[in-house]
Amino acid sequence: MFYSPAKTTVGKVTAALVLVVSLAYGCRGSSAQPPTITISGAFALYPMVVRWSEEYRALHPEVQFDIQAGGAGKGMSDVLAGAVDIGMVSREIRAEETEQGAVGIAVAKDAVVATMNADNPVLEQLLATGLTPEAGAGIWLTGDITTWGALVGSGDTNVIHVFTRADSCGAAEVWAKYLGGEAQEDLLGTGVQGDPGVAEAVRQDPLGIGYNNLNFAYDSKTGQPIEGLLVIPLDLNGDGTISADEDFYDTREEVAQAIAEGRYPSPPSRALFLVTKGKPDGIIADFIRWVLTDGQAFVEETGYVRLTDAQLQEGLQLVGE
């Protein structure tokens, strides 16, 4: 199998709407076909699931994977409709989804970060003062803050070009909740499809501001911010300055450590879920069980944060040990 378009996580972000892991085999269902696990959903979890699929196949070469990233909403709707075996979901599972049979199993943790263009006109001021939830709400929720000068308290009259996600996704919901909203629909801005799309829109626009899942804001090989992007630090104590204990955005590893230690707030950090319709069994259960045990060895090196042992044990109980 090969991975299309892998460039989205190695620093060359594209505006591709769907990332696909293509198979060397044909359609499911034929008795001559090897077992295939179909997965769709959150961009946030896509790089991790791709890595897990590679490592699992090294142990079980007879198993094939078909993995598509199209947003958490797509993952949930696909799995509930029986279109895929597993949905990738980057938000909490809703009561109405559980009532329809959704079983959500937390497998890792990451976060949403605010992003700006590396040529932003108030770059130095914003890196020094950071972004508060109240200021973010003024940009994405109320529209009261419209210029970069108004954001940092300067005379800059450049208008902020606000970007948000057009596809149903967990990142938007989590970001809205951090800013004081409730749902993705609360967010203002130009809608762009997918994590790669938002990152590319901001990367191409010196006046752009957006938000991305951690692994689409940083280069997977270098751990540095993707070329042309910078992560906006959060002013966690609201004192108008980014102090040493709030300054952990130079590399993906620094942010991941801050998430693990609870220094980066939740939201916008959150657990990531693999979702099945009903309790998983057979090869699906075996794969998820492996993810929760041996597969955890690959979490941190792929740019994610491990869950606690108690959380992993809770997932194993849902799968059935």
Side-chain angles (χ1 to χ4, degrees), residues 53-149:
S53 73
E54 293 169 341
E55 299 296 339
Y56 188 79
R57 288 196 74 241
L59 301 172
H60 306 279
E62 75 283 2
V63 179
Q64 300 296 308
F65 286 84
D66 180 347
I67 309 173
Q68 301 180 15
K74 175 174 170 55
M76 182 61 76
S77 62
D78 282 352
V79 75
L80 290 180
V84 297
D85 299 310
I86 300 172
M88 301 179 287
V89 177
S90 53
R91 55 165 174 76
E92 292 295 324
I93 312 305
R94 297 166 184 159
E96 60 268 26
E97 294 164 343
T98 301
E99 291 169 2
Q100 295 177 65
V103 176
I105 300 161
V107 291
K109 191 175 183 181
D110 82 336
V112 178
V113 293
T115 55
M116 63 179 169
N117 188 282
D119 293 323
N120 185 282
V122 297
L123 176 67
E124 295 304 322
Q125 298 101 306
L126 196 48
L127 289 177
T129 61
L131 183 74
T132 62
E134 294 78 15
I139 296 170
W140 275 280
L141 296 183
T142 67
D144 292 337
I145 298 177
T146 60
T147 68
W148 287 103

Coordinates of all heavy atoms in Angstrom, one line a residue, residues 53-149:
S53 N -1.0 1.5 11.7 CA -1.3 0.5 10.7 C 0.0 -0.1 10.1 O 0.0 -1.3 9.9 CB -2.2 1.1 9.6 OG -1.4 2.0 8.8
E54 N 1.0 0.7 10.0 CA 2.3 0.2 9.4 C 2.9 -0.8 10.4 O 3.4 -1.9 10.0 CB 3.2 1.4 9.2 CG 2.8 2.3 8.1 CD 3.6 3.6 8.0 OE1 4.2 3.9 9.1 OE2 3.6 4.3 7.0
E55 N 2.9 -0.5 11.7 CA 3.5 -1.3 12.7 C 2.7 -2.6 12.9 O 3.3 -3.7 13.0 CB 3.7 -0.6 14.0 CG 4.5 0.7 14.0 CD 6.0 0.4 13.6 OE1 6.4 -0.8 13.8 OE2 6.7 1.3 13.2
Y56 N 1.4 -2.5 12.8 CA 0.5 -3.7 13.0 C 0.7 -4.6 11.8 O 0.8 -5.9 12.0 CB -0.9 -3.3 13.1 CG -1.9 -4.4 13.5 CD1 -2.0 -4.8 14.8 CD2 -2.7 -5.0 12.5 CE1 -2.8 -5.9 15.1 CE2 -3.5 -6.0 12.8 CZ -3.6 -6.5 14.1 OH -4.5 -7.5 14.4
R57 N 0.8 -4.1 10.6 CA 1.0 -4.9 9.4 C 2.4 -5.6 9.4 O 2.5 -6.7 8.8 CB 0.8 -4.1 8.1 CG -0.6 -3.7 7.8 CD -0.7 -3.2 6.4 NE -0.7 -4.3 5.5 CZ 0.2 -4.5 4.5 NH1 1.1 -3.6 4.3 NH2 0.1 -5.5 3.7
A58 N 3.4 -5.0 10.0 CA 4.7 -5.6 10.1 C 4.6 -6.9 10.9 O 5.3 -7.9 10.7 CB 5.7 -4.7 10.8
L59 N 3.6 -7.0 11.9 CA 3.4 -8.2 12.6 C 2.3 -9.1 12.0 O 2.4 -10.3 12.2 CB 2.9 -7.8 14.0 CG 3.8 -6.9 14.9 CD1 3.1 -6.4 16.1 CD2 5.1 -7.6 15.2
H60 N 1.4 -8.5 11.2 CA 0.3 -9.2 10.6 C 0.2 -8.8 9.1 O -0.7 -8.1 8.7 CB -1.0 -8.9 11.3 CG -1.0 -9.2 12.8 ND1 -1.1 -10.5 13.3 CD2 -0.8 -8.4 13.8 CE1 -1.0 -10.4 14.6 NE2 -0.8 -9.1 15.0
P61 N 1.2 -9.2 8.3 CA 1.2 -8.8 6.9 C 0.0 -9.2 6.1 O -0.3 -8.6 5.0 CB 2.5 -9.4 6.3 CG 2.8 -10.6 7.3 CD 2.3 -10.2 8.6
E62 N -0.8 -10.1 6.6 CA -2.0 -10.5 5.8 C -3.2 -9.5 6.0 O -4.1 -9.5 5.2 CB -2.5 -11.8 6.3 CG -3.2 -11.9 7.7 CD -2.3 -11.8 8.9 OE1 -1.0 -11.7 8.6 OE2 -2.7 -11.8 10.0
V63 N -3.0 -8.5 6.9 CA -4.1 -7.5 7.2 C -3.8 -6.3 6.3 O -2.7 -5.8 6.3 CB -4.2 -7.2 8.7 CG1 -5.2 -6.1 8.9 CG2 -4.4 -8.4 9.5
Q64 N -4.9 -5.8 5.7 CA -4.8 -4.6 4.9 C -5.6 -3.5 5.6 O -6.5 -3.7 6.3 CB -5.3 -4.8 3.5 CG -4.6 -5.9 2.7 CD -3.2 -5.5 2.4 OE1 -2.9 -4.4 1.9 NE2 -2.2 -6.4 2.8
F65 N -5.2 -2.2 5.3 CA -5.9 -1.1 5.8 C -6.3 -0.1 4.7 O -5.6 0.1 3.8 CB -5.0 -0.3 6.8 CG -4.8 -0.9 8.1 CD1 -3.8 -1.9 8.3 CD2 -5.5 -0.6 9.2 CE1 -3.6 -2.5 9.5 CE2 -5.3 -1.2 10.4 CZ -4.4 -2.2 10.6
D66 N -7.5 0.5 4.9 CA -8.0 1.5 4.0 C -8.3 2.7 4.9 O -9.3 2.6 5.7 CB -9.2 1.1 3.2 CG -9.8 2.1 2.3 OD1 -9.4 3.3 2.4 OD2 -10.6 1.8 1.5
I67 N -7.5 3.7 4.9 CA -7.6 4.8 5.9 C -7.9 6.2 5.2 O -7.1 6.5 4.3 CB -6.4 4.9 6.8 CG1 -6.0 3.6 7.4 CG2 -6.6 6.0 7.9 CD1 -4.7 3.6 8.1
Q68 N -8.9 6.9 5.5 CA -9.2 8.2 4.9 C -9.4 9.2 6.0 O -10.1 8.9 7.0 CB -10.5 8.1 4.1 CG -10.4 7.1 3.0 CD -11.7 7.1 2.2 OE1 -12.6 8.0 2.3 NE2 -11.9 6.0 1.4
A69 N -8.8 10.4 5.8 CA -9.1 11.5 6.8 C -10.0 12.5 6.1 O -9.7 13.1 5.1 CB -7.7 12.2 7.1
G70 N -11.1 12.8 6.8 CA -12.1 13.7 6.2 C -12.8 14.5 7.3 O -13.8 15.2 7.0
G71 N -12.3 14.5 8.5 CA -12.9 15.2 9.6 C -13.6 14.2 10.6 O -14.1 13.1 10.2
A72 N -13.7 14.6 11.8 CA -14.3 13.7 12.9 C -15.8 13.4 12.5 O -16.3 12.3 12.8 CB -14.2 14.4 14.2
G73 N -16.5 14.4 12.0 CA -17.9 14.2 11.6 C -18.1 13.1 10.6 O -19.0 12.3 10.7
K74 N -17.2 13.1 9.6 CA -17.3 12.0 8.6 C -17.0 10.7 9.2 O -17.6 9.7 8.9 CB -16.3 12.3 7.5 CG -16.2 11.2 6.5 CD -15.3 11.6 5.3 CE -15.1 10.4 4.4 NZ -16.3 9.7 3.9
G75 N -16.0 10.6 10.1 CA -15.6 9.4 10.8 C -16.8 8.8 11.6 O -17.1 7.6 11.5
M76 N -17.5 9.7 12.3 CA -18.6 9.2 13.1 C -19.8 8.8 12.2 O -20.4 7.7 12.4 CB -19.1 10.3 14.1 CG -20.2 9.9 15.0 SD -19.9 8.5 16.0 CE -18.8 9.3 17.3
S77 N -20.1 9.6 11.2 CA -21.2 9.2 10.3 C -20.9 8.0 9.6 O -21.8 7.1 9.4 CB -21.6 10.4 9.4 OG -20.5 10.7 8.5
D78 N -19.7 7.8 9.1 CA -19.3 6.6 8.4 C -19.4 5.3 9.2 O -20.0 4.3 8.8 CB -17.9 6.7 7.8 CG -17.8 7.6 6.6 OD1 -18.8 8.0 6.1 OD2 -16.6 7.9 6.2
V79 N -18.9 5.4 10.5 CA -19.0 4.2 11.3 C -20.4 3.9 11.7 O -20.8 2.7 11.7 CB -18.0 4.3 12.5 CG1 -18.6 5.2 13.6 CG2 -17.7 3.0 13.1
L80 N -21.2 4.9 12.0 CA -22.6 4.6 12.4 C -23.4 4.0 11.2 O -24.3 3.3 11.4 CB -23.2 5.8 13.0 CG -22.7 6.3 14.3 CD1 -23.4 7.6 14.8 CD2 -22.9 5.2 15.4
A81 N -23.0 4.4 10.0 CA -23.7 4.0 8.8 C -23.2 2.6 8.4 O -23.8 2.0 7.4 CB -23.6 5.0 7.7
G82 N -22.1 2.1 9.0 CA -21.6 0.8 8.6 C -20.7 0.9 7.4 O -20.3 -0.1 6.8
A83 N -20.3 2.1 7.0 CA -19.5 2.3 5.8 C -18.0 2.0 6.1 O -17.2 1.7 5.2 CB -19.6 3.7 5.3
V84 N -17.6 2.1 7.4 CA -16.2 1.7 7.8 C -16.3 0.9 9.1 O -17.3 0.9 9.8 CB -15.3 3.0 8.0 CG1 -15.2 3.8 6.7 CG2 -15.9 3.9 9.1
D85 N -15.2 0.3 9.4 CA -15.1 -0.5 10.6 C -14.8 0.4 11.8 O -15.3 0.1 12.9 CB -14.0 -1.5 10.5 CG -14.2 -2.5 9.4 OD1 -15.3 -3.1 9.3 OD2 -13.3 -2.7 8.6
I86 N -14.0 1.5 11.6 CA -13.6 2.3 12.7 C -13.7 3.8 12.3 O -13.2 4.1 11.2 CB -12.1 2.0 13.1 CG1 -12.0 0.5 13.6 CG2 -11.7 3.0 14.2 CD1 -10.5 0.1 13.8
G87 N -14.2 4.6 13.1 CA -14.2 6.1 12.9 C -13.1 6.7 13.8 O -13.0 6.3 15.0
M88 N -12.4 7.7 13.3 CA -11.5 8.5 14.1 C -12.2 9.7 14.5 O -12.6 10.5 13.7 CB -10.2 8.8 13.2 CG -9.4 7.6 12.7 SD -8.0 8.1 11.7 CE -8.8 8.7 10.2
V89 N -12.2 10.0 15.8 CA -13.0 11.1 16.3 C -12.2 11.9 17.3 O -11.6 11.3 18.3 CB -14.3 10.6 17.0 CG1 -15.1 11.8 17.6 CG2 -15.2 9.9 15.9
S90 N -12.1 13.2 17.1 CA -11.2 14.1 17.9 C -12.0 15.0 18.9 O -11.6 16.1 19.1 CB -10.3 14.9 17.0 OG -11.1 15.6 16.1
R91 N -13.1 14.4 19.4 CA -13.9 15.2 20.4 C -14.6 14.1 21.3 O -14.5 12.9 21.0 CB -14.9 16.1 19.7 CG -15.8 15.3 18.7 CD -17.0 16.0 18.3 NE -17.8 15.4 17.3 CZ -18.6 14.3 17.4 NH1 -18.7 13.8 18.6 NH2 -19.2 13.8 16.4
E92 N -15.3 14.6 22.3 CA -16.0 13.6 23.1 C -17.2 13.0 22.3 O -17.8 13.7 21.4 CB -16.6 14.4 24.4 CG -15.5 14.8 25.3 CD -14.8 13.7 26.0 OE1 -15.4 12.6 26.2 OE2 -13.6 13.8 26.2
I93 N -17.5 11.8 22.6 CA -18.6 11.1 22.0 C -19.9 11.7 22.6 O -20.1 11.7 23.8 CB -18.5 9.6 22.2 CG1 -17.1 9.1 21.8 CG2 -19.6 8.9 21.3 CD1 -16.6 9.5 20.5
R94 N -20.9 12.0 21.7 CA -22.1 12.6 22.2 C -23.1 11.6 22.6 O -23.1 10.4 22.1 CB -22.7 13.5 21.1 CG -21.8 14.7 20.7 CD -22.2 15.4 19.4 NE -21.2 16.4 19.1 CZ -21.0 16.9 17.9 NH1 -21.8 16.4 16.9 NH2 -20.2 17.9 17.7
A95 N -24.0 11.9 23.4 CA -25.0 11.0 23.9 C -25.9 10.4 22.8 O -26.1 9.2 22.8 CB -25.9 11.7 25.0
E96 N -26.3 11.2 21.9 CA -27.1 10.7 20.8 C -26.3 9.7 19.9 O -26.9 8.8 19.3 CB -27.6 11.8 19.9 CG -26.6 12.7 19.2 CD -26.2 13.9 20.1 OE1 -26.3 13.8 21.3 OE2 -25.8 14.9 19.5
E97 N -25.0 9.8 19.9 CA -24.1 8.9 19.1 C -24.0 7.6 19.8 O -24.1 6.5 19.2 CB -22.8 9.5 18.8 CG -22.9 10.7 17.9 CD -21.6 11.6 17.9 OE1 -20.8 11.5 18.8 OE2 -21.5 12.4 17.0
T98 N -23.9 7.7 21.1 CA -23.8 6.4 22.0 C -25.1 5.7 21.9 O -25.1 4.4 21.8 CB -23.6 6.8 23.4 OG1 -22.3 7.5 23.5 CG2 -23.5 5.6 24.3
E99 N -26.2 6.4 21.8 CA -27.6 5.8 21.7 C -27.7 5.0 20.3 O -28.5 4.1 20.2 CB -28.7 6.8 21.8 CG -28.8 7.4 23.2 CD -29.7 8.6 23.2 OE1 -30.2 9.0 22.2 OE2 -29.9 9.2 24.3
Q100 N -26.9 5.5 19.3 CA -27.0 4.8 18.0 C -25.9 3.7 18.0 O -25.8 3.0 16.9 CB -26.7 5.8 16.9 CG -27.7 6.9 16.8 CD -27.3 7.9 15.7 OE1 -27.2 7.6 14.5 NE2 -27.1 9.1 16.1
G101 N -25.3 3.4 19.1 CA -24.3 2.3 19.1 C -22.9 2.6 19.1 O -22.0 1.7 19.1
A102 N -22.5 3.9 19.0 CA -21.1 4.3 19.0 C -20.4 3.9 20.3 O -20.9 4.2 21.4 CB -21.0 5.8 18.8
V103 N -19.3 3.2 20.2 CA -18.4 2.9 21.3 C -17.1 3.6 21.1 O -16.3 3.3 20.1 CB -18.2 1.4 21.4 CG1 -17.2 1.1 22.5 CG2 -19.5 0.6 21.6
G104 N -16.8 4.6 21.9 CA -15.6 5.4 21.7 C -14.5 4.9 22.7 O -14.7 4.8 23.9
I105 N -13.3 4.7 22.1 CA -12.2 4.2 22.9 C -11.1 5.2 22.8 O -10.5 5.4 21.7 CB -11.8 2.8 22.4 CG1 -12.9 1.8 22.5 CG2 -10.6 2.3 23.2 CD1 -12.8 0.6 21.7
A106 N -10.7 5.8 23.9 CA -9.6 6.8 23.9 C -8.3 6.1 23.6 O -8.0 5.1 24.3 CB -9.6 7.6 25.2
V107 N -7.5 6.6 22.7 CA -6.2 5.9 22.3 C -5.0 6.8 22.4 O -3.9 6.3 22.5 CB -6.3 5.4 20.9 CG1 -7.3 4.2 20.8 CG2 -6.7 6.4 19.9
A108 N -5.1 8.1 22.5 CA -4.0 9.1 22.6 C -4.6 10.4 22.9 O -5.8 10.6 23.0 CB -3.2 9.1 21.3
K109 N -3.7 11.4 23.0 CA -4.1 12.8 23.3 C -3.2 13.7 22.5 O -2.1 13.5 22.2 CB -3.9 13.0 24.8 CG -4.5 14.3 25.3 CD -4.3 14.4 26.8 CE -5.0 15.6 27.4 NZ -4.8 15.7 28.9
D110 N -3.9 14.8 22.0 CA -3.1 15.9 21.4 C -3.8 17.2 21.7 O -4.6 17.3 22.7 CB -2.9 15.7 19.9 CG -4.1 16.1 19.1 OD1 -5.3 16.1 19.6 OD2 -3.9 16.4 17.9
A111 N -3.6 18.3 20.9 CA -4.2 19.6 21.1 C -4.4 20.3 19.9 O -3.8 20.1 18.8 CB -3.4 20.3 22.1
V112 N -5.3 21.3 19.9 CA -5.4 22.3 18.9 C -4.6 23.6 19.3 O -4.6 24.0 20.4 CB -6.9 22.7 18.7 CG1 -7.1 23.8 17.6 CG2 -7.7 21.5 18.3
V113 N -3.9 24.1 18.3 CA -3.1 25.3 18.5 C -3.5 26.4 17.6 O -3.9 26.1 16.4 CB -1.6 25.1 18.4 CG1 -1.1 24.1 19.5 CG2 -1.2 24.5 17.0
A114 N -3.4 27.7 18.0 CA -3.6 28.8 17.1 C -2.4 29.1 16.2 O -1.3 28.9 16.7 CB -3.9 30.1 17.9
T115 N -2.7 29.4 14.9 CA -1.6 29.6 14.0 C -1.6 30.9 13.3 O -2.7 31.5 13.1 CB -1.6 28.5 12.9 OG1 -2.9 28.4 12.3 CG2 -1.3 27.1 13.5
M116 N -0.5 31.4 12.9 CA -0.4 32.7 12.2 C 0.7 32.5 11.1 O 1.6 31.6 11.2 CB -0.1 33.9 13.1 CG 1.3 33.8 13.8 SD 1.5 35.3 14.8 CE 3.0 34.8 15.7
N117 N 0.7 33.4 10.2 CA 1.7 33.5 9.1 C 3.1 33.9 9.7 O 3.1 34.8 10.6 CB 1.3 34.4 8.0 CG 2.2 34.3 6.8 OD1 3.3 34.9 6.8 ND2 1.8 33.6 5.8
A118 N 4.2 33.4 9.3 CA 5.5 33.8 9.8 C 5.9 35.2 9.4 O 6.8 35.7 10.0 CB 6.5 32.8 9.3
D119 N 5.1 35.8 8.5 CA 5.4 37.2 8.1 C 4.3 38.1 8.6 O 4.1 39.2 8.1 CB 5.5 37.3 6.6 CG 6.7 36.7 6.0 OD1 7.7 36.7 6.7 OD2 6.6 36.1 4.9
N120 N 3.6 37.7 9.7 CA 2.6 38.5 10.3 C 3.1 39.9 10.7 O 4.2 40.1 11.2 CB 2.1 37.9 11.6 CG 0.9 38.6 12.2 OD1 1.1 39.6 12.9 ND2 -0.3 38.1 12.0
P121 N 2.4 41.0 10.4 CA 2.9 42.4 10.7 C 3.1 42.7 12.1 O 3.8 43.7 12.4 CB 1.8 43.3 10.1 CG 0.5 42.4 10.0 CD 1.0 41.0 9.8
V122 N 2.5 42.0 13.1 CA 2.7 42.3 14.5 C 3.3 41.0 15.2 O 3.0 40.8 16.4 CB 1.3 42.7 15.2 CG1 0.8 44.0 14.6 CG2 0.3 41.6 15.1
L123 N 4.1 40.3 14.4 CA 4.6 39.1 14.9 C 5.3 39.2 16.3 O 5.0 38.4 17.2 CB 5.7 38.5 13.9 CG 6.4 37.3 14.3 CD1 5.5 36.1 14.3 CD2 7.5 37.0 13.3
E124 N 6.2 40.1 16.4 CA 7.0 40.2 17.7 C 6.1 40.6 18.9 O 6.2 40.0 20.0 CB 8.1 41.3 17.5 CG 9.2 40.9 16.5 CD 9.8 39.6 16.8 OE1 10.0 39.3 18.0 OE2 10.1 38.8 15.9
Q125 N 5.1 41.5 18.7 CA 4.2 41.8 19.8 C 3.3 40.6 20.2 O 3.1 40.4 21.4 CB 3.3 43.0 19.4 CG 4.0 44.3 19.0 CD 4.2 44.5 17.5 OE1 4.7 43.6 16.8 NE2 3.7 45.7 17.1
L126 N 2.9 39.9 19.2 CA 2.0 38.7 19.5 C 2.7 37.6 20.2 O 2.2 36.9 21.1 CB 1.3 38.2 18.2 CG 0.1 37.3 18.3 CD1 -0.9 37.9 19.3 CD2 -0.6 37.1 17.0
L127 N 4.0 37.4 19.8 CA 4.8 36.4 20.4 C 5.1 36.8 21.9 O 5.2 35.9 22.8 CB 6.1 36.1 19.7 CG 6.0 35.4 18.3 CD1 7.4 35.3 17.7 CD2 5.4 34.0 18.5
A128 N 5.1 38.1 22.1 CA 5.4 38.6 23.5 C 4.2 38.6 24.4 O 4.3 38.3 25.6 CB 6.0 40.0 23.4
T129 N 3.0 38.9 23.8 CA 1.8 39.0 24.6 C 0.9 37.8 24.6 O 0.2 37.5 25.5 CB 1.0 40.2 24.1 OG1 0.6 40.0 22.7 CG2 1.8 41.5 24.2
G130 N 0.9 37.0 23.5 CA 0.1 35.8 23.4 C -1.3 36.1 23.1 O -1.8 37.3 22.9
L131 N -2.1 35.0 23.1 CA -3.5 35.1 22.9 C -4.3 34.6 24.1 O -4.1 33.5 24.5 CB -3.9 34.2 21.6 CG -5.3 34.2 21.1 CD1 -5.6 35.6 20.4 CD2 -5.6 33.1 20.2
T132 N -5.2 35.4 24.6 CA -6.1 35.0 25.6 C -7.4 34.4 25.0 O -7.7 34.7 23.9 CB -6.5 36.1 26.6 OG1 -7.2 37.1 25.8 CG2 -5.2 36.8 27.2
P133 N -8.2 33.6 25.8 CA -9.5 33.1 25.3 C -10.4 34.3 25.0 O -11.1 34.2 24.0 CB -10.0 32.3 26.5 CG -8.8 31.9 27.3 CD -7.8 33.0 27.1
E134 N -10.3 35.4 25.7 CA -11.2 36.5 25.5 C -10.9 37.2 24.2 O -11.8 37.5 23.4 CB -11.0 37.5 26.6 CG -11.5 37.0 28.0 CD -10.6 36.1 28.7 OE1 -9.4 36.0 28.3 OE2 -11.0 35.4 29.6
A135 N -9.5 37.3 23.9 CA -9.1 37.9 22.6 C -9.5 37.0 21.4 O -10.0 37.4 20.4 CB -7.6 38.2 22.6
G136 N -9.3 35.7 21.6 CA -9.7 34.7 20.6 C -11.2 34.7 20.3 O -11.6 34.7 19.2
A137 N -12.0 34.9 21.4 CA -13.4 35.0 21.2 C -13.8 36.3 20.4 O -14.7 36.3 19.6 CB -14.1 35.1 22.6
G138 N -13.0 37.4 20.6 CA -13.3 38.6 19.9 C -13.0 38.4 18.4 O -13.6 39.1 17.6
I139 N -12.1 37.5 18.1 CA -11.8 37.2 16.7 C -12.8 36.2 16.1 O -13.4 36.4 15.0 CB -10.4 36.7 16.5 CG1 -9.4 37.7 17.0 CG2 -10.1 36.2 15.1 CD1 -7.9 37.2 17.1
W140 N -13.0 35.1 16.7 CA -13.8 34.0 16.1 C -15.2 33.9 16.5 O -16.0 33.3 15.8 CB -13.1 32.6 16.5 CG -12.0 32.2 15.6 CD1 -12.1 31.6 14.3 CD2 -10.6 32.3 15.9 NE1 -10.9 31.3 13.8 CE2 -9.9 31.7 14.8 CE3 -9.9 32.7 16.9 CZ2 -8.5 31.6 14.7 CZ3 -8.5 32.6 16.9 CH2 -7.8 32.1 15.8
L141 N -15.6 34.5 17.7 CA -17.0 34.3 18.2 C -17.8 35.6 17.9 O -19.0 35.5 17.5 CB -17.0 34.0 19.6 CG -16.4 32.6 20.0 CD1 -16.5 32.3 21.5 CD2 -17.0 31.5 19.2
T142 N -17.3 36.7 18.3 CA -18.1 38.0 18.2 C -17.7 38.8 17.0 O -18.5 39.7 16.6 CB -18.0 38.8 19.5 OG1 -16.6 39.3 19.6 CG2 -18.3 38.0 20.7
G143 N -16.5 38.7 16.6 CA -16.0 39.6 15.5 C -15.7 41.0 15.9 O -15.6 41.9 15.1
D144 N -15.6 41.2 17.2 CA -15.3 42.5 17.8 C -13.9 43.0 17.5 O -13.6 44.2 17.4 CB -15.5 42.6 19.3 CG -17.0 42.4 19.6 OD1 -17.8 42.7 18.8 OD2 -17.3 42.0 20.8
I145 N -12.9 42.0 17.4 CA -11.5 42.3 17.1 C -11.3 42.1 15.6 O -11.3 40.9 15.1 CB -10.6 41.5 17.9 CG1 -10.8 41.9 19.4 CG2 -9.1 41.8 17.5 CD1 -9.9 41.0 20.4
T146 N -11.1 43.1 14.8 CA -11.0 43.0 13.4 C -9.6 43.3 12.8 O -9.3 43.0 11.6 CB -12.0 43.8 12.7 OG1 -11.8 45.2 13.0 CG2 -13.4 43.4 13.1
T147 N -8.8 44.0 13.6 CA -7.4 44.4 13.1 C -6.4 43.8 14.0 O -6.6 43.5 15.1 CB -7.3 45.9 13.0 OG1 -7.2 46.4 14.3 CG2 -8.4 46.5 12.2
W148 N -5.2 43.7 13.4 CA -4.0 43.1 14.2 C -3.6 44.1 15.3 O -3.2 43.7 16.3 CB -2.9 42.8 13.3 CG -3.1 41.6 12.4 CD1 -3.5 41.5 11.1 CD2 -3.1 40.2 12.9 NE1 -3.7 40.2 10.8 CE2 -3.5 39.4 11.9 CE3 -2.8 39.7 14.2 CZ2 -3.5 38.0 12.0 CZ3 -2.9 38.3 14.3 CH2 -3.2 37.5 13.2
G149 N -3.8 45.4 15.0 CA -3.4 46.4 16.0 C -4.4 46.3 17.2 O -3.9 46.5 18.3

